Amino acid sequence: QSALTQPASVSGSPGQSITISCTGTSSDVGVYNYVSWYQQHPGKAPKLMISDVSDRPSGVSNRFSGSKSGNTASLTISGLQAEDEADYYCSSYTSSSTWVFGGGTKLTVL
Amino acid sequence: QVQLVQSGAEVKKPGASVKVSCKASGYTFTDYYIHWVRQAPGQGLEWMGWINTKHGGTKYAQEFQDRVTMTRDTSISTAYMELSRLRSDDTALYYCARLRVCSTTSCFYWFDPWGQGTLVTVSS
């Protein structure tokens, strides 16, 4: 199972919005609404930010939102803040009953 | 609160095996699967497999099929991941993460929370 494709890096200024894409195939992202997103700060464990494409767990800021179109899921962060600077990973359930992650995207807040 | 606490860092020689533990607290252990995910230094996340903590059933990623064994001890709410025939490229942070078993009406596909990670270093 190949990793989902994410841009290596994105950047934005405080207050701006950014979007991170996550491209899979018709065996994972394209066929299931089971995409989740994780935030990882340096030296820390990943933290769930979005489940089932667009559901936001309790406690996660409403500045984080998710969507999907075809084989590509997206994470949007609005009103960028310095604390949002981190690595972001997407994950999807697959038709092989396994899970696959994206390669990760480093978000820099300028 | 819900917590997954993993065992400490390990240093192993190539060809050896390592067993990492993941102790759960704050919830009913058998209501959730435990998945294992690893992260090589400076790299992304790689899914390794899961164990059904209630029945003991497992499913492994093809890449680890012949080298990984996941087990659990329900009496102490602890899951284990053993990786054998270690190579230098197995050097990584190994995470456990919780995933809820299906209810009568819904299934769940996200990991929350994660353990703190266990660094396994493979070096001669």
Side-chain angles (χ1 to χ4, degrees), chain B residues 10 14-15 19 21-22 26 31 34 37 41 58 60 63 65 68 71 74 87 90 93 95-96 100 104 114 116 120:
Chain B
E10 304 263 11
K19 191 171 186 177
S21 69
C22 172
D31 283 348
I34 292 291
V37 177
T58 56
Y60 305 138
E63 302 91 306
Q65 193 78 37
V68 72
T71 57
T74 57
R87 310 184 294 249
D90 290 318
L93 258 176
Y95 290 103
C96 61
R100 189 172 174 184
T104 53
W114 297 55
Q116 84 277 18
V120 175

Side-chain angles (χ1 to χ4, degrees), chain A residues 1 34 36 38 40 43-48 50-52 57 87 89 91 93 96-104, chain B residues 35 37 39 43-47 50 59-63 93 95 99 107-117:
Chain A
Q1 182 75 42
Y34 302 143
S36 50
Y38 302 88
Q40 186 180 36
K44 299 294 188 182
K47 174 189 174 186
L48 176 69
I50 295 287
S51 62
D52 288 352
D87 293 328
Y89 293 91
S91 173
Y93 181 69
S96 301
S97 301
T98 61
W99 274 256
V100 63
F101 285 94
Chain B
H35 288 238
V37 177
Q39 185 172 35
Q43 301 301 308
L45 302 173
E46 182 177 23
W47 182 79
W50 56 253
K59 184 170 180 72
Y60 305 138
Q62 192 169 1
E63 302 91 306
L93 258 176
Y95 290 103
L99 187 143
C107 285
F108 308 89
Y109 298 91
W110 61 88
F111 308 113
D112 182 48
W114 297 55
Q116 84 277 18

Side-chain angles (χ1 to χ4, degrees), chain A residues 1-101:
Chain A
Q1 182 75 42
S2 298
L4 306 175
T5 300
Q6 298 181 232
S9 63
V10 298
S11 62
S13 299
Q16 288 186 332
S17 294
I18 63 95
T19 296
I20 299 171
S21 62
C22 168
T23 301
T25 70
S26 56
S27 296
D28 39 65
V29 175
V31 70
Y32 297 109
N33 288 326
Y34 302 143
V35 176
S36 50
W37 288 89
Y38 302 88
Q39 176 191 65
Q40 186 180 36
H41 286 110
K44 299 294 188 182
K47 174 189 174 186
L48 176 69
M49 304 302 285
I50 295 287
S51 62
D52 288 352
V53 173
S54 59
D55 290 345
R56 201 172 42 250
S58 172
V60 172
S61 170
N62 59 11
R63 298 184 298 104
F64 291 83
S65 62
S67 62
K68 192 188 87 166
S69 177
N71 292 343
T72 299
S74 298
L75 173 71
T76 298
I77 308 174
S78 59
L80 267 182
Q81 299 180 0
E83 68 209 47
D84 299 332
E85 186 162 294
D87 293 328
Y88 291 85
Y89 293 91
C90 60
S91 173
S92 177
Y93 181 69
T94 83
S95 58
S96 301
S97 301
T98 61
W99 274 256
V100 63
F101 285 94

Side-chain angles (χ1 to χ4, degrees), chain B residues 37-103:
Chain B
V37 177
R38 77 176 186 179
Q39 185 172 35
Q43 301 301 308
L45 302 173
E46 182 177 23
W47 182 79
M48 298 180 70
W50 56 253
I51 181 165
N52 179 323
T53 55
K54 186 170 188 176
H55 303 296
T58 56
K59 184 170 180 72
Y60 305 138
Q62 192 169 1
E63 302 91 306
F64 303 102
Q65 193 78 37
D66 60 345
R67 293 199 299 137
V68 72
T69 303
M70 296 178 188
T71 57
R72 92 285 188 226
D73 184 340
T74 57
S75 69
I76 55 172
S77 299
T78 300
Y80 303 92
M81 187 284 298
E82 183 170 21
L83 190 61
S84 63
R85 302 195 302 278
L86 290 168
R87 310 184 294 249
S88 58
D89 62 357
D90 290 318
T91 293
L93 258 176
Y94 289 78
Y95 290 103
C96 61
R98 185 184 76 158
L99 187 143
R100 189 172 174 184
V101 301
C102 294
S103 67

Side-chain angles (χ1 to χ4, degrees), chain B residues 12 22 29 57 79:
Chain B
K12 296 292 184 181
C22 172
F29 182 62

